Structure formats: structure tokens, C-alpha cells
Amino acid sequence: MSEKAPLLHYRLTTSDAEPTDGSKRGRAKVGRDGRGSGEKPARKLGVLFGVVTPTLLSMFSVVVFLRIGFVVGQAGLYQSIAMFLVAYVIITMTVLSVCAISTNGALDAGGAYYMISRALGPEFGGSIGIMFFFANVCGSALYVLGLVEAIMSVFGIPEEGGAASAGPLQVLPSGYLWSVLYGTGVLFLCFLVCLVGANIYAKAAFIIFIIVTTVLVSVFISFFIVRPVGVVLPSFNSTSLTIANFTGFRLHTLQSNLLPNYTVDYTTGTMMNFATVFSVMFNGCTGIMAGSNMSGDLKNPSYSIPRGTIAAVLITFITYNLLSLLAAWSCDRCLLQKDYSFMGDINIWPPMVTIGVYSSTISAAMSNLIGASRILYALSKDNLFGGLLVLMRKTSRSGNPWASVLVSWLLVQVVLFAGKLNTIAGIVTIFFLLVYAAVNLACLALEWASAPNFRPSFRCFTWHTCTLGIIGCLVMMFLISAIYAFASIAFMLLLLMLIHYFGPISNWGYISQALIFHQVRKYLLMLDVRKDHVKFWRPQVLLMVANPRSSTGLMTFINDLKKSGLYVLGHVKLGLLDGLPSDPLQSCYESWLSLVDHLNIKAFVNLTLADSVRHGVQNLLFITGFGYGLDTVCLTKDPREHRSPFFPSVRGTEEEKDLQEEEYVSVIADAVKMGKNVTLARYFDQFNREEVLGSGRKTAGQQSMTGPFVDVWPLNLLQPDSHGYVDTCSLFLLQLACVLQETRTWNQARLRLFLCVEAGCSMQEEEETKLRVMLKKLRISAQVQMVTWDEVVALHWQRLGGRETGNLAECAQSEEKMEQEERAQNEDGNEMFPNNAAQLTEEYICAVNNLILRHGAPRPAVRFLYLPRPPADINRYRAYLHQVDLLSRDLGPTLLIHGVTPVVTTDL
């Protein structure tokens, strides 16, 4: 199957299911017999042997034979049953979540890690996988120590009294170092089996299951047929013999065992309490994912995992509670507290329990060791941690991951130095509880995301069960050990962040993206354009990019200008979909998104295919935007730059045509008709953000440096006979300049506001005062500079033939009358543009350009100029664009802006 195969993929055959994530692992050529050519065996296991058996063996292990008496003796029958209820509520909620995820699609080998990672993405999968790996490592050490403890209780020489007080079978030296040595030997045997292959354990699992079942049956029978007897207690701290009674079923015995009586643990010398006893007992409830880990060998994982896991959980719950009741009803409290192996002492054939303990614990130890190695191997193949786990991918000819087995064995050996079973029981419990909490959280996230493809066939779960499972796991973690709980959660969050920021992008699907989409959709629906208000306006910019290679400076600048508003990069590809085999834009998105990542800008990408740039921009303006939609479109000034090449294309693969002046101005006119603000950007190929912003930084030995200047010319310089500075467009210029200054990177910039006046005019002081009052009301800090432009504006009146003051007044009155007529036409609903009746000369426009240059010292980082509306007459489009070109020539990075949206208010 190729890497671009459909997401929904099912195999009709169950003997050779290929992974659906596009990887090549586990593939085999299938013969006519349905089996692989020696690389991958056919799936054969069903519910009983594939799920129930390994789950029961993992859950029984040490606790069922060695810790039932400990739990009842310390906590009493009432609290023991309460502990089992709490533990099984927690694991049942987790089992429901596991069953839901496992029935949500076809499963391959990998077990719980495969399910979580493929369902939720690499962040959750990788972090949960690492924690599950450590849980299995510590669990394997726990079972090895349990086996050593069982061996020492029968064959170990007592530390106090030595060989003189030893029985005929007590021939093994005792002590911490000896226990570690014995554990190392047992672990080495498990390592050899796992190094050869998991098939040996799989073949022996059924035999071990029969042995454990037989031993349990003998234990239940012994409670009923064995007569009352005195049991000699292990003498750990004294040489005297102490005897406790097995009374048989006596009401007095039951009553004395109902309430808790926490004492010092005779194996560790520490005082017991509810939390420590629960942590030991909970280990008998772990192992619920042993069946899920067999998913690669199951005929029908989605069918077997839910039924087998639930059946195993129910069987163990009944068994534990029955054994607790029988022990409390028939054994003295002293016997339960001081002899963890009392079941062998009261058994009809004492060696039977010993055989059960040995077989179940070594089986569980190997199971955890194999599970840890397989999880580590799966993590290395998924390459979530780069080259850190690259050596773990090495396998034998038969496919056994010997490198992962070796590393897992070494880690288990390190844990063995803890020395006592109860010492590491709390650590193992914390790890398993954290994994269970993460599984519940994963299922809860899938449920909250409401993804259409999350429809598991197992429906006996809700968000309530997931939440209850999470809360239960977290509460018990902190009850057991707050320090370990904080440390493990912090470690898991660290792993999640590392994978999120540094891990490779996978095609498994990201639950974070599904949750973000779900929440964004919900809040977008809450946006109501009828509740829009000018004081909450923010820029929503569509930047039309023709050639991204030459527009990086402009893209980074607009990213600063947007101030947490919506920012969309638009691109038009010329062509029609008719006759094409597929949409040519689909292959371009990844390159554009890579560019966004490279520039570190917060922008969306929207591409369109159209027969012309004008129609393409219209399409983008119609469909682009969230909530209220886009309010500003930004174009490059030079229409010759406005081409639509394939990006990133091979040069020369497509004919490139210049965008004609008439079409370019038509784009501006269309945007204005649609009520959009228009921004023309020019000379931003000269804009270097690092140099500009670096000028405002402090350097060694200097107190401070002057920040960059931002110049604003709010007057329509191409309409010199207009009056006043306060209109919608000029206010929009001021607002954009203020928005730029308020951004974190431009907060050192200083605004310079240039007010053009005629020398000796009576309105000069009035206009300046009016402008300063307006800036104060708008809370805009700017340096106002008065610019006399009598010589410049005189060039305009000379062309009109009005040299005298009276003629100037007549021209002004004529212009005012024309504006009033246009406003009246707009109110009648007949939208039209000003006809620009005033004939501007190139001499006047060049003089204005020189005026701006003369007053640009020191050189500003960017200039904001007033952009007049396009003329109503299409035949004047070329002249209009020429005038704008002359006005902004050689000014450096410049924005020519025409605003139609009210964006400022003086109200609170």
C-alpha cells in the first residue's frame, strides 16, 4: 500500500493485515495458504487464548497468592472490599475507553500503543508509549522480586539465627545482596526466553494458565476441607517461634477481621496505611492491557479485545473478593499480617501454592519484559524521538527486536536494586494509573472532538465514564505518593511537548487539531455581525502575493500590522479547471504552508484558480474570512509584479503574463465596491525587518537609541483642493499606524504626522488645534509637523487658471458642490466614484513627491499615504495608476491606503 493510500482502509483477509499508516513494517507476501512467506504468521488467536488468558495471568500474578492476606490483615474486610471496588471502578472505566478505541477501526500489531498513537496522533501516543514502557519495566521487576520473595520464604535461611534455626529446605543465604543476586538470575532466564522469541512464552501461556487455575481451585477447596491448624510464622526479627491459627469458618474470626488494623510490615519494617496497602493491592488490578497488546495475533481484535478484557476483569474481581472473604472468615489477624504465604501453609498440598506462585510470577515477569521491548521497538520504528532510539530498530532474522529486549532487560535490572517488592509497588502503581488516566483522556478527547470517523462499535461508554476514570486515577495517584505523581505528570507533559515541537509530522491524525477545529467552529458560530462594534475592530487582511520569493519582506510586515487579526495570504493561478485531470492547487498548499512556517508568521493560505487575476481576487474577497469577513485587501503597487506563477514551480514551465494596468485598477475598484479597505504596498523588497527594528534596541555602552519612524500623510495629496483632515480614509491611516506602533516589536517606533497647510492661511492654527484634539481623544501619541506647501499647490491652481485668491475660492466652491452631488447620488443608492475632474499635472505630482522626500529626515521605516478612490471612467484607469506611481516614486517602503471602514471611536 502506498504512502498516499486512503485513510479508511480495510483488508478482506485477516491473515495479512498491512499497517494503514503508510509504513512498510510487518509486510509479507501472502501465499495461497493465507500465511506469509516466513515473515509474518497468520492470525490465529481468539477471545480465550488471545485475550482472556494473558490478561488473567497478568492480573493474578503475585497478589492473588502473596498479598490477599496482607491486604485483609492490614485493612480489614470492609476496607479491603472498598479498595477492590475503587480499584475496579478505575480500571473498568479505563477498560471501557480501551474497548471504545479498539473497536473504532482495523487494528495491527502494537497493542495499546498502536491504538492510542494512531487514534490520537504522535503527541499522545509517544508520551503514553514511553510511560507504558516504564510501567512494564517496573512491573517486570516487581514480579521478579515477588518470585524471589516466594523462593526465600521456602528455601531461604533466616537472617536471625542463621543455619542453626533453618529447616531442611532452607539452604539459600538471605539478605539484600543475595535477593538482588537471585532476582538477577531469574531475570536473566526471562531475558534468554525473550531473546529467543515471544513464541516460547506464547506456547507456555496455556500450560501456565492451567497450573494457576488448578492452584486457585485447590486454594478454594482448602478453606473448606482443611481442619483448624496452628501455623508457624516466619521469624524475621526473633529466634522464637510464633504460631497463629487457621480457625476454619468462625463468626468470631470474621468479626475480628472486619475493621482495619494497620501495623508495621514485617518485610520492610515500615508502617502501613490505606495508601500503601492500596498501592500493593492495585498491582493485582494492572495488566488489563495484556490482551490488547496481542492485537497483532488476534483473528478479530475489535471483537476479541472488549469481550476478553471485560471477562478477565470480572473473573479477577470475583476471585479477589471471594478470597478476601474466605481469608477474613477463617484466619487469625496475626496469621494474615505476619505470613504472606499462608495459603500454602493451609493448602491440602502445600507445594501446590508454591508452584502457582512461581509459574504465575515468572509468566508475568516475561510478559512485562516482552511488552516493554515491543513498545520500545514500536517507538523506534515510528521515529518520534529522532535518532535517539535508532539502535532499537535492530532485529534478528526472525524479526525479534533483540536490541529493544536488551535495553529493556538492563532497565529492569536497574530497578531490581530497589530490593523489596513493596518498595517499588507504589512506583509501578503510579505509572499504570498515569497510563490509564491518559487512555481515558484520549477517549474523552475523541468524544469531545465529535469527529465523524470516531464511531466505535463498542458503545458502553460516555464522556462521564472517561471523566470518572481520569479523576479516579489522578486522585489515587496523589493518595499513593504526591511526589511521584507530580514527577510522573511533569515527565509526561515534557515528553508531550518535546514530541509536539520536535517530532516529525505524521499522517496518523492529530487529536489536538480535531479539538481546535471543534472549539473554533463553536465560537465562530457565536459571532454575530449584528453585534459588531467599531471599538472592537481589528484588521483582517488579505495579502495578494504574486511571487512569494520577492514578497517575504511585505509578508512579515503585514504580519506585524495585523495585531492579532485575521491574516490570509492569497494567490491566483491563471487557468480553468475544464480539461485538467485534477485541481493543480492541491500540490501547492504544502509549499505555501512551509513558507508560512519558515517566515514564522501567523497566516492562513487561500489559493484560487481563475481565468483572470481580477476574477480570482473577487473570488477570494467573497469567500475568505471568519465571522465578519475580511475588511482589508493588500496589493503590491507595481502591476508588473502581479503575476501568477506556479509556486514553487520549475522555471519556464508556464507562460507568465503581466497584469495590465486596467485590470489592476479594476481590482482596486472592485474591492472598494465590496466595502473593503485597500492597501497598495510599494518598495517592500527594500524592507529589512531586522535592520529596522534593530535601530530601536539598546546596545552596550548606550542608554537608548532612537526607534524607527513611521510617517503618516493623512491628506489626499492628489486632491489638493480638498478640505479637512478628518474623514474615514485619514482616520483609517491613523488607526493602522497606531496598530503597528502598539505591536510588541514596533513599540519603540515613533509616529510623525504631517499636516499640509498654506502659509498665512487663517485656517492653519485651527486645523492644527483640531488635529491635536482629535489625537488626544483617540489616545494616539504622534509628533505633529506642519508642512507649508504653497509652492507645490500653486502648480495645481496654475493649471486651472486660478492664480488669484478669488479664483481659488471659486474652485474650492466648485469642488465642494461636486462632492455634495456625489454624496446625494450615493444616498439614492447609485454608487459611483468621484470623476477626478481636476486635471493634475506631472509637475505638481512630482513636486508633492519631492515634498515628502524633503520632510523624510531621518528616513522613516515606512510611510502611510492617502490613496484616492479610482476614477469612475474606466478610460482614466491608466492615468490614475500613473499618478499614484509618480506620487510614491523612490519613497522607500510605502503603504498607499484607501479606507472605507469606520475604525475609531472616542466612546468608552
Side-chain angles (χ1 to χ4, degrees):
M1 184 177 63
S2 66
E3 295 185 358
K4 296 183 179 180
L7 293 178
L8 185 62
H9 178 77
Y10 293 97
R11 298 284 296 183
L12 297 179
T13 60
T14 60
S15 61
D16 186 42
E18 294 182 355
T20 59
D21 62 343
S23 64
K24 298 182 179 181
R25 54 184 175 276
R27 298 186 181 181
K29 297 180 180 180
V30 181
R32 295 182 180 180
D33 58 351
R35 297 178 61 87
S37 58
E39 296 182 13
K40 186 176 180 180
R43 300 174 181 232
K44 293 182 177 180
L45 300 180
V47 177
L48 178 60
F49 299 109
V51 181
V52 176
T53 299
T55 305
L56 285 176
L57 289 175
S58 296
M59 295 184 72
F60 278 146
S61 63
V62 179
V63 175
V64 70
F65 297 117
L66 298 180
R67 287 299 181 264
I68 289 295
F70 164 78
V71 173
V72 176
Q74 296 287 345
L77 181 62
Y78 289 156
Q79 285 197 9
S80 298
I81 295 176
M83 287 182 182
F84 283 116
L85 286 174
V86 171
Y88 272 84
V89 165
I90 294 174
I91 67 169
T92 299
M93 299 302 103
T94 306
V95 166
L96 296 180
S97 299
V98 170
C99 293
I101 297 175
S102 65
T103 59
N104 190 47
L107 292 180
D108 200 358
Y113 165 71
Y114 182 87
M115 291 189 292
I116 300 301
S117 61
R118 269 51 179 185
L120 306 181
E123 301 107 327
F124 273 96
S127 56
I128 292 174
I130 287 292
M131 298 306 297
F132 199 31
F133 166 72
F134 283 118
N136 278 273
V137 166
C138 293
S140 181
L142 177 72
Y143 297 131
V144 170
L145 289 176
L147 178 57
V148 171
E149 182 179 306
I151 293 174
M152 294 302 295
S153 65
V154 178
F155 301 103
I157 299 175
E159 294 185 24
E160 299 293 339
S165 61
L169 298 178
Q170 295 176 308
V171 295
L172 297 178
S174 58
Y176 167 75
L177 293 179
W178 285 106
S179 297
V180 173
L181 180 61
Y182 300 147
T184 302
V186 172
L187 178 62
F188 186 72
L189 291 177
C190 298
F191 167 67
L192 291 179
V193 173
C194 297
L195 196 61
V196 173
N199 290 332
I200 297 178
Y201 168 72
K203 293 177 181 179
F206 180 64
I207 299 175
I208 295 175
F209 176 69
I210 293 176
I211 295 174
V212 173
T213 303
T214 303
V215 174
L216 281 175
V217 171
S218 72
V219 169
F220 278 107
I221 294 175
S222 298
F223 279 110
F224 290 94
I225 67 173
V226 173
R227 295 180 179 181
V229 64
V231 179
V232 178
L233 300 180
S235 54
F236 273 60
N237 300 318
S238 65
T239 57
S240 61
L241 297 178
T242 305
I243 298 177
N245 295 321
F246 170 73
T247 64
F249 296 111
R250 295 290 185 270
L251 182 59
H252 174 73
T253 304
L254 178 62
Q255 291 174 343
S256 64
N257 288 326
L258 293 178
L259 300 178
N261 181 22
Y262 294 106
T263 61
V264 175
D265 177 22
Y266 76 95
T267 63
T268 61
T270 57
M271 186 65 186
M272 294 292 101
N273 53 44
F274 181 90
T276 55
V277 174
F278 178 83
S279 65
V280 175
M281 180 277 302
F282 189 80
N283 285 281
C285 305
T286 59
I288 57 174
M289 295 184 182
S292 303
N293 291 334
M294 302 293 292
S295 59
D297 300 307
L298 300 176
K299 292 180 181 179
N300 190 348
S302 298
Y303 177 86
S304 301
I305 290 176
R307 289 163 177 79
T309 306
I310 293 175
V313 168
L314 186 61
I315 292 172
T316 55
F317 177 73
I318 294 174
T319 302
Y320 283 141
N321 281 277
L322 282 178
L323 285 175
S324 299
L325 176 61
L326 295 177
W329 201 346
S330 61
C331 298
D332 284 343
R333 174 79 66 144
C334 184
L335 176 62
L336 298 177
Q337 290 180 340
K338 302 300 182 182
D339 187 5
Y340 295 160
S341 58
F342 78 98
M343 288 185 182
D345 297 327
I346 66 171
N347 198 274
I348 52 176
W349 187 51
M352 179 70 79
V353 175
T354 303
I355 294 173
V357 170
Y358 294 172
S359 59
S360 62
T361 50
I362 198 168
S363 171
M366 285 191 295
S367 177
N368 278 264
L369 182 59
I370 291 174
S373 64
R374 296 310 186 266
I375 295 171
L376 186 61
Y377 178 59
L379 286 167
S380 66
K381 287 203 302 180
D382 288 339
N383 197 29
L384 296 181
F385 298 93
L388 187 63
L389 301 178
V390 64
L391 295 178
M392 303 301 102
R393 303 176 193 173
K394 295 184 178 298
T395 61
S396 62
R397 292 183 179 180
S398 61
N400 189 41
W402 62 266
S404 297
V405 173
L406 178 63
V407 172
S408 301
W409 168 63
L410 292 175
L411 289 177
V412 175
Q413 181 63 56
V414 171
V415 178
L416 282 182
F417 286 101
K420 292 292 183 180
L421 186 150
N422 287 2
T423 305
I424 64 173
I427 301 175
V428 175
T429 305
I430 291 292
F431 280 156
F432 275 109
L433 281 171
L434 183 59
V435 172
Y436 295 165
V439 171
N440 284 294
L441 179 62
C443 190
L444 179 65
L446 284 171
E447 181 70 9
W448 276 352
S450 300
N453 280 319
F454 182 64
R455 44 178 183 270
S457 57
F458 182 86
R459 298 302 305 172
C460 298
F461 79 100
T462 64
W463 68 269
H464 303 85
T465 61
C466 300
T467 305
L468 183 60
I470 296 171
I471 295 174
C473 291
L474 293 178
V475 169
M476 295 313 304
M477 283 172 58
F478 285 95
L479 282 178
I480 294 169
S481 174
I483 296 177
Y484 288 157
F486 275 118
S488 58
I489 291 175
F491 181 59
M492 183 176 176
L493 292 177
L494 176 63
L495 289 173
L496 193 148
M497 289 188 293
L498 287 175
I499 298 174
H500 176 75
Y501 288 107
F502 301 106
I505 297 177
S506 72
N507 59 350
W508 306 340
Y510 290 77
I511 189 60
S512 57
Q513 296 299 303
L515 290 173
I516 291 172
F517 175 85
H518 185 265
Q519 292 301 111
V520 168
R521 170 189 167 274
K522 180 174 70 175
Y523 288 116
L524 283 177
L525 290 174
M526 294 173 64
L527 287 176
D528 189 347
V529 68
R530 295 168 295 183
K531 300 178 182 179
D532 188 17
H533 196 279
V534 64
K535 66 182 178 182
F536 298 118
W537 173 87
R538 68 181 68 243
Q540 297 196 42
V541 185
L542 170 64
L543 174 61
M544 296 303 303
V545 180
N547 186 356
R549 296 183 183 89
S550 60
S551 303
T552 56
L554 179 59
M555 285 187 276
T556 55
F557 176 78
I558 298 298
N559 184 67
D560 292 333
L561 188 63
K562 73 180 188 307
K563 188 177 172 58
S564 71
L566 178 64
Y567 181 22
V568 180
L569 298 178
H571 178 74
V572 179
K573 179 175 176 59
L574 297 180
L576 295 175
L577 199 58
D578 298 342
L580 296 178
S582 61
D583 183 5
L585 298 177
Q586 295 302 319
S587 59
C588 303
Y589 273 101
E590 185 175 351
S591 299
W592 280 88
L593 294 176
S594 299
L595 176 65
V596 169
D597 295 337
H598 174 71
L599 296 177
N600 194 25
I601 60 177
K602 298 178 180 179
F604 297 91
V605 175
N606 207 341
L607 312 180
T608 187
L609 185 68
D611 58 349
S612 67
V613 173
R614 180 184 182 185
H615 290 162
V617 176
Q618 287 179 357
N619 294 339
L620 294 177
L621 289 176
F622 277 124
I623 66 174
T624 304
F626 296 151
Y628 309 114
L630 290 165
D631 53 38
T632 305
V633 59
C634 183
L635 309 171
T636 54
K637 167 60 186 67
D638 190 352
R640 291 172 297 177
E641 297 174 4
H642 237 268
R643 302 174 180 176
S644 183
F646 187 91
F647 170 70
S649 63
V650 179
R651 296 180 180 179
T653 59
E654 185 180 87
E655 181 183 359
E656 299 179 356
K657 297 182 179 179
D658 292 346
L659 181 62
Q660 301 301 319
E661 287 84 348
E662 292 81 0
E663 185 178 7
Y664 183 79
V665 180
S666 296
V667 171
I668 302 174
D670 293 341
V672 175
K673 289 179 183 178
M674 299 169 67
K676 310 297 183 184
N677 308 298
V678 179
T679 299
L680 303 185
R682 192 173 192 191
Y683 296 118
F684 271 86
D685 56 333
Q686 304 173 9
F687 178 77
N688 188 315
R689 185 172 182 270
E690 293 298 324
E691 292 182 1
V692 169
L693 299 180
S695 65
R697 298 173 184 165
K698 295 181 180 180
T699 59
Q702 295 178 326
Q703 295 294 327
S704 64
M705 297 184 65
T706 303
F709 287 99
V710 176
D711 290 357
V712 182
W713 295 76
L715 180 66
N716 185 356
L717 299 175
L718 295 184
Q719 195 173 351
D721 41 10
S722 61
H723 295 279
Y725 285 83
V726 184
D727 62 8
T728 301
C729 185
S730 60
L731 291 176
F732 188 80
L733 262 71
L734 286 174
Q735 180 74 313
L736 281 187
C738 183
V739 166
L740 180 65
Q741 186 189 33
E742 289 179 351
T743 59
R744 184 175 59 183
T745 52
W746 287 80
N747 57 3
Q748 298 297 324
R750 295 192 293 175
L751 298 185
R752 292 189 301 193
L753 186 60
F754 294 92
L755 182 62
C756 297
V757 296
E758 296 180 26
C761 179
S762 60
M763 298 180 61
Q764 178 177 353
E765 295 183 0
E766 180 182 348
E767 287 291 334
E768 181 179 2
T769 302
K770 183 179 179 181
L771 183 61
R772 292 186 183 276
V773 171
M774 181 191 68
L775 292 176
K776 184 176 181 181
K777 289 182 178 180
L778 295 177
R779 293 86 62 199
I780 297 177
S781 176
Q783 176 185 345
V784 180
Q785 296 188 15
M786 309 303 295
V787 178
T788 57
W789 68 330
D790 300 60
E791 296 180 358
V792 176
V793 78
L795 298 174
H796 171 64
W797 298 121
Q798 289 175 7
R799 176 63 182 266
L800 295 178
R803 301 185 180 209
E804 299 178 1
T805 306
N807 290 340
L808 291 176
E810 290 178 3
C811 288
Q813 291 176 0
S814 175
E815 294 290 340
E816 256 184 63
K817 182 178 179 181
M818 182 175 60
E819 292 178 1
Q820 291 176 357
E821 292 177 354
E822 291 171 354
R823 285 196 294 269
Q825 290 174 339
N826 290 338
E827 291 175 358
D828 293 337
N830 298 321
E831 180 73 26
M832 67 176 296
F833 297 118
N835 56 15
N836 259 346
Q839 298 294 319
L840 300 176
T841 64
E842 289 191 8
E843 183 182 9
Y844 162 76
I845 300 175
C846 290
V848 173
N849 177 264
N850 290 329
L851 178 71
I852 297 174
L853 286 173
R854 288 200 309 271
H855 289 83
R859 185 180 179 90
V862 63
R863 288 184 172 92
F864 288 74
L865 301 184
Y866 192 118
L867 176 69
R869 298 175 71 166
D873 187 0
I874 299 178
N875 295 323
R876 291 188 52 81
Y877 278 3
R878 187 183 294 270
Y880 167 82
L881 197 59
H882 179 63
Q883 293 172 357
V884 173
D885 174 70
L886 291 177
L887 176 66
S888 58
R889 182 168 296 176
D890 299 326
L891 293 183
T894 303
L895 289 181
L896 297 104
I897 302 170
H898 183 81
V900 298
T901 305
V903 293
V904 296
T905 179
T906 58
D907 297 335
L908 181 62

